[in-house]
């Protein structure tokens, strides 16, 4: 039974799930290189978002000198750009997987449909509720952080680097931002599961037991402030404006992709683009497990790791009983 896969799921990836080889002993350089390669190349959401960040910077971003003074016009321009980005990514994925069912049930984790109605949802239905919190609060807080960072850079309050002066660090930052995300996300996520914050803040996100693309950034405004606050690291760690765009687009847009509910995009019977993460999908169903990601295995270090097997499920249920006193 130790490695027997869980029941009650339509699709399961290979289990037991494995954490990053960067944190497994003994170290295996070939596996480590393969992990990094598969996370970035040949086609990956990370590379796509790097491309989006450069497109945003060169064609849809006001000049840095303009952001020195706060003004409605350039702030509105950035808000509209982010609104379109989120609508295209989350809305496009929802249309493809759920409205038009172009992939059917292939690689879909949860066999159940998204909820049409539910009194727990602000607007009476899961999709409308998720869209409201994502667009009204999520995009607004995302834009507010961009405004803050560009204003700070333009006025010399936040350090700035250029490719010409630091080419290696310029490229390395793109690789390191997802690692920082993994570190940061685990700790703020554990904080949000403290009973007071869970009840008054994080419970809104956990209305989604079965998730879809609009669920990822569907959060309480306080959680948006905490979650997207990761970018404040660049008040200390120097960055180029394109890194700021990438950092926040990575946080916001991968919230949609990782909550797709499907493991990936199937073309010609192959998973061509990895999307949803079963690791996090289990968190939405079982709650007190998998607070972080597989990149930095904090869950394994602290006993909250669910690897998708029946044995791990039994351990998590026992852990939950101890935590609740039931």
């Amino acid at each position: 039974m130790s490695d027997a896969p869980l029941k009650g799921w339509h699709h399961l990836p290979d289990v037991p799930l494995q954490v990053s080889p960067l944190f497994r002993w003994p170290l295996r350089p070939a596996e480590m290189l393969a992990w990094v390669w598969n996370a970035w190349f040949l086609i990956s959401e990370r590379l796509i978002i790097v491309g989006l960040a450069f497109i945003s910077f060169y064609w849809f971003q006001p000049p840095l000198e303009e952001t020195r003074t706060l003004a409605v016009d350039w702030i509105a321009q950035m808000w509209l750009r982010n609104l379109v980005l989120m609508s295209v990514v989350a809305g496009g994925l929802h249309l493809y997987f759920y409205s038009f069912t172009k992939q059917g049930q292939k690689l879909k984790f949860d066999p159940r449909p998204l909820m049409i109605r539910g009194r727990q949802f602000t607007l009476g239905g899961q999709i409308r509720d998720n869209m409201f919190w994502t667009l009204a609060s999520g995009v607004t807080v995302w834009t507010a952080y961009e405004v803050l960072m560009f204003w700070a850079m333009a006025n010399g309050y936040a350090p700035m680097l250029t490719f010409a002066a630091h080419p290696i660090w310029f490229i390395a930052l793109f690789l390191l931002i997802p690692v920082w995300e993994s570190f940061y996300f685990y700790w703020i996520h554990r904080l949000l599961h403290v009973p007071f914050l869970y009840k008054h803040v994080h419970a809104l996100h956990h209305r989604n037991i079965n998730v879809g693309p609009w669920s990822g950034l569907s959060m309480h405004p306080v959680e948006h402030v905490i979650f997207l606050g990761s970018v404040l690291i660049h008040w200390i760690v120097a960055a180029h404006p394109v890194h700021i765009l990438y950092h926040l687009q990575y946080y916001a847009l991968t919230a949609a992709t990782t909550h797709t509910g499907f493991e990936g995009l199937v073309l010609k019977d192959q998973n061509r683009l990895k999307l949803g993460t079963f690791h996090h999908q289990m968190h939405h169903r079982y709650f007190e497990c998998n607070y972080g990601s597989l990149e930095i295995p904090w869950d394994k270090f602290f006993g909250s790791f669910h690897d998708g097997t029946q044995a791990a499920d039994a351990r998590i249920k026992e852990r939950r009983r101890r935590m609740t006193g039931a």
Side-chain angles (χ1 to χ4, degrees), residues 214-284:
W214 286 108
S215 306
L217 206 64
S218 178
M219 304 173 184
H220 190 284
V222 171
E223 183 168 354
H224 282 132
V225 171
I226 296 171
F227 175 66
L228 295 168
S230 159
V231 75
L232 296 177
I233 189 72
H234 295 300
W235 283 73
I236 301 169
V237 177
H240 186 274
V242 77
H243 292 124
I244 303 301
L245 291 167
Y246 170 70
H247 194 133
L248 285 163
Q249 288 176 7
Y250 180 79
Y251 264 66
L253 299 180
T254 61
T257 60
T258 56
H259 288 74
T260 301
F262 289 74
E263 189 178 13
L265 184 67
V266 174
L267 295 173
K268 296 183 178 179
D269 294 324
Q270 288 192 38
N271 185 356
R272 303 290 182 176
L273 179 63
K274 294 178 180 177
L275 294 169
T277 57
F278 185 61
H279 179 261
H280 190 70
Q281 182 104 11
M282 285 191 289
H283 175 77
H284 275 269

